Amino acid sequence: MNRSSFAASCLGLIASLSGACSLAPKYKPPATEEITRYKEAGDWSRGTGAAVAVTSPAGSGDVPSGDWVPARPADTQQRGPWWEVFGDPKLNELEKQLNAANPDLQAAVARFEEARAVARQDISKEYPTLGLGASATRARSSATAPLENLVGGVPVTSNDFLASLNLNWEIDLFGRLRNTAAAARAQAQSSEADAAAVALTLQAEVASDYFNLRGDDTTISLLEDTIRVYDRAYELTKNRYQEGISAATDVDQADTQRQNARAQLASVRRDRAQLEHAIAVLLGVMPSTFGLQPAQLASSIPVIDSGLPSVLLQRRPDVARAERAVAAANAQIGVARAAWFPIFTLTGAAGFQSLYSSQWFKAPSRMWSLGPAATVPLLDFGARSAANQQARASYDEAVANYRKTTLTAYQEVEDNLAALHHLADEVAADEAASKSAQSAANHSDKRYDAGVADYVEVTTTHTAALQEERDAISARVLQLNAAVALVRATGGGWTSDQLSHL
């Protein structure tokens, strides 16, 4: 075969790449049950105190009429920083600090960058590699080496000057490299979605801790006011006792009541301090250098758009992470199947080789080589079969994990819709109970002053009034936390079209 026909044959082999096949199954995201509406999204969710709106996403003009729209790989709705819906400037500031300095988030981003670098490495293997090499060698042969008698048994000293451009290219006829790269791309996207899921979790944690802290601020203010009232009551009761109007037990009960309130205040202040420390760590700062000025708890709950069930899976980064893991496992099946077929490589070199440095780069010293090679294992005692079984089992595991993740996603939305629904009723009942308990405490004070009630009644009614007020504050904190949890459950401000395409 002459040089031109050999080169043509090699080029024909390269051209066959255009018809190269992939042995991976055609990928389809795992099917999920179509949900047309949330169970807990009843009539109450359309503006009757639950502060939840179940509507089509704003700006999605291609949404059909009715409750159901087909799920697509990406949600085009851009919703921005979700925490701004609460209208709290301090919370907005904390969330920005979190996004800039949280160590867990920085670690998640670093893991994504690592996965993306691995993907780029695997993608690069689909293409030829070129290397430039040069060497200069001087050698002396042995007079007693095998076959030295052909040259008279005389030691020969020679030079070898070599400079060449080397080519190495695996011809990916069966998709081994392409599926490896596809799996790496999907893993990188899964890692990116994982970073988004970590960010969303941390953002929700900051918001929840912040509202808990503001609830403690409100409770501290209530207890401080209550202690002042109890202190005055104690002084009045002590004076009445000294004047012979009240019994000594009344003084003891008044003192017990105010000391109990002081104990509650110390407990709440401890909780607030620990919440402040937790927020500091989330923001990546030392607790000793961080502080939040006291402020009252928000008095209203913002309207939260829970969206349609059909778009939920497009808005959750953990679902995207699980789906990308399925895609990666699907590609790995193709890699395992390709192991049954030969690996074709094309190698070549071109350059100059000479015995003399003065002749190294002259025309007579030119050299080149080009040729394909193929390798395939013939006997591996079941290794390839086991690798195929492993790939299939990994795919099945990824599908099961994806389905579990989607079930959890729907559960979390339903849980928090129900929480907002029932907490709205709980807050209303607690506030009404607090008003009634305060009224009863006022009446008992008047009855005690008139001498028709003992101090046990006063203590009982005031304790009940304080507890009801604290219950109302706790219910409002729970309501805000449920709103945060619902935003997190519906994906926050994240959309799956934000995944990078390598």
Side-chain angles (χ1 to χ4, degrees), residues 67-347:
D67 287 331
W68 172 255
V69 294
R72 292 182 293 273
D75 175 10
T76 58
Q77 182 186 1
Q78 300 292 338
R79 288 167 291 164
W82 58 265
W83 50 86
E84 292 181 356
V85 71
F86 293 96
D88 190 317
K90 191 60 184 180
L91 176 60
N92 296 344
E93 179 185 333
L94 296 177
E95 294 288 359
K96 289 179 182 178
Q97 288 181 252
L98 168 83
N99 293 333
N102 179 268
D104 290 330
L105 183 54
Q106 290 173 341
V109 171
R111 287 193 296 271
F112 162 58
E113 294 294 342
E114 179 184 0
R116 183 160 62 176
V118 170
R120 287 173 176 168
Q121 291 178 37
D122 287 336
I123 292 170
S124 70
K125 294 176 183 177
E126 299 182 60
Y127 301 95
T129 58
L130 289 174
L132 183 62
S135 65
T137 305
R138 182 172 176 80
R140 178 186 184 276
S141 65
S142 170
T144 58
L147 304 181
E148 277 300 311
N149 59 331
L150 296 179
V151 292
V154 178
V156 176
T157 301
S158 62
N159 300 324
D160 186 13
F161 297 94
L162 177 65
S164 63
L165 185 67
N166 303 307
L167 166 72
N168 188 69
W169 189 7
E170 180 176 333
I171 311 300
D172 194 24
L173 291 179
F174 302 103
R176 186 181 73 88
L177 296 180
R178 279 174 287 123
N179 284 317
T180 299
R185 279 192 292 264
Q187 289 288 3
Q189 290 176 323
S190 177
S191 181
E192 184 177 12
D194 182 62
V198 170
L200 181 58
T201 298
L202 293 170
Q203 290 161 1
E205 187 174 348
V206 165
S208 180
D209 286 351
Y210 177 77
F211 289 132
N212 286 333
L213 184 142
R214 290 308 183 211
D216 284 347
D217 283 342
T218 305
T219 303
I220 288 171
S221 178
L222 168 66
L223 287 169
E224 288 175 341
D225 291 342
T226 301
I227 288 171
R228 283 192 287 270
V229 172
Y230 287 176
D231 284 344
R232 289 196 297 269
Y234 170 75
E235 293 299 329
L236 290 172
T237 306
K238 187 166 65 171
N239 291 336
R240 288 167 62 95
Y241 166 71
Q242 291 172 350
E243 295 171 2
I245 301 175
S246 298
T249 55
D250 292 350
V251 178
D252 293 338
Q253 288 173 346
D255 189 41
T256 300
Q257 189 175 40
R258 68 178 187 146
Q259 297 303 337
N260 181 267
R262 281 188 168 84
Q264 293 182 51
L265 177 60
S267 176
V268 176
R269 282 176 172 166
R270 180 200 66 215
D271 290 341
R272 187 196 190 279
Q274 291 174 347
L275 285 168
E276 195 174 62
H277 301 160
I279 292 173
V281 172
L282 287 169
L283 302 185
V285 300
M286 294 297 293
S288 58
T289 62
F290 177 79
L292 287 171
Q293 291 298 318
Q296 293 297 297
L297 184 67
S299 58
S300 61
I301 308 297
V303 174
I304 305 299
D305 176 15
S306 64
L308 295 173
S310 54
V311 300
L312 175 64
L313 303 186
Q314 303 159 16
R315 293 163 55 171
R316 295 253 315 197
D318 58 338
V319 173
R321 174 185 59 198
E323 185 275 327
R324 290 289 81 199
V326 175
N330 186 80
Q332 288 293 350
I333 293 176
V335 175
R337 288 177 174 176
W340 292 100
F341 297 89
I343 296 177
F344 293 94
T345 56
L346 182 65
T347 59

